Amino acid sequence: MKQYLAIIAMDIRLALRLRAVIFFNYLFPLIFFFTFATILHRTPDQMAFVVKMSVTLGVLGSGFFGAGIRAIQERELGILRRYKVTPITPAPLLVGSMVTGWIIFLPYIVLLLLLAHFLYHMPLPPYFFQLLIFISLGLIAFRSLGLVIASVANTMQEGTILVQLFYFPMLLMSGATVPEESFVGVMKPIHNFIPATYLVKGMQSMIMDHKGLAANLPAVLALVVTTIVGGLVSMKLFRWEKEEKIRGRAKLWVLVVLLPFIVMGVWQWWHQ
């Protein structure tokens, strides 16, 4: 336990020193929030859409850039190599990354909801703390997915490409930036296979429909399973040094982490 607490404390200190962390976790999502809130704050539903978009933007940014890209950078710069000579396993490093991201990101969520309420008159969700728990599950799940991408990428260039291949489709096709009602034809079933879709739908259910975690159990289970599988895969494929290369076949582990969302997509497609 001491190892975990020491790693978390050190990660928090290092993260707060990085301007990029502050920018992508606070300033960048807040710029989007104030810009679209100024334009679309006419009704509570429109304001809820702005909140969903801003939260999703922050969660995906924290997961893919905050966890994934940073992990690749630490391996490329030889930082992880220094840990290798100490009596430590990959588990504290990976858990520390997830917990640090959560500690840094959670104040932004609270700030965002309070700003939406007091400045733009969006009613606070009746299940406020359950909403925070749900968003926290989403954050940790996507950070675990980001760590898996970092584990299967052999170089920073490869990791950046993989992150972009995940980040933009999730941002554009989850309903976070483009309303779900706009998807027609083949886009509708594809939308159901996007992992971020279930984060967006869960937030919509809790903010607009005033439902709790129990009403969003499938999405909760998908996020929890993704976190567990992502953590296990990250530990299995963890590499201390950039010279250690991973085989191309091992990259298919990313599909294993996405399996809960694939199952949910097939289930919804079948029922539709």
Side-chain angles (χ1 to χ4, degrees), residues 145-240:
L145 182 55
L147 291 173
V148 171
I149 292 175
S151 298
V152 302
N154 285 321
T155 63
M156 176 59 74
Q157 182 180 12
E158 185 178 334
T160 302
I161 293 173
L162 287 173
V163 163
Q164 300 293 351
L165 287 175
F166 277 83
Y167 178 76
F168 284 105
M170 288 191 191
L171 191 61
L172 296 174
M173 299 175 62
S174 63
T177 54
V178 179
E180 181 182 354
E181 296 77 16
S182 302
F183 299 136
V184 295
V186 71
M187 297 299 295
K188 188 68 174 179
I190 292 177
H191 164 72
N192 292 326
F193 286 88
I194 302 296
T197 294
Y198 300 95
L199 174 66
V200 173
K201 285 185 175 181
M203 288 191 292
Q204 177 175 328
S205 173
M206 301 181 81
I207 295 174
M208 298 174 62
D209 301 331
H210 301 163
K211 296 180 179 179
L213 286 174
N216 296 280
L217 194 56
V220 171
L221 291 176
L223 294 174
V224 171
V225 172
T226 300
T227 299
I228 295 173
V229 176
L232 294 175
V233 171
S234 297
M235 283 188 282
K236 175 181 176 62
L237 302 179
F238 188 86
R239 288 167 291 148
W240 299 97

Side-chain angles (χ1 to χ4, degrees), residues 3 7 10 70-95 150-154 234-246:
Q3 287 183 337
I7 290 293
M10 183 175 62
R70 185 184 173 191
I72 299 174
Q73 286 177 333
E74 291 181 345
R75 189 174 65 231
E76 292 277 306
L77 295 173
I79 297 175
L80 296 182
R81 180 183 299 175
R82 301 172 187 174
Y83 289 112
K84 188 177 181 181
V85 298
T86 64
I88 193 173
T89 64
L93 297 175
L94 298 174
V95 172
S151 298
V152 302
N154 285 321
S234 297
M235 283 188 282
K236 175 181 176 62
L237 302 179
F238 188 86
R239 288 167 291 148
W240 299 97
E241 303 181 16
K242 64 179 181 179
E243 289 78 16
E244 301 176 49
K245 303 298 181 182
I246 195 169

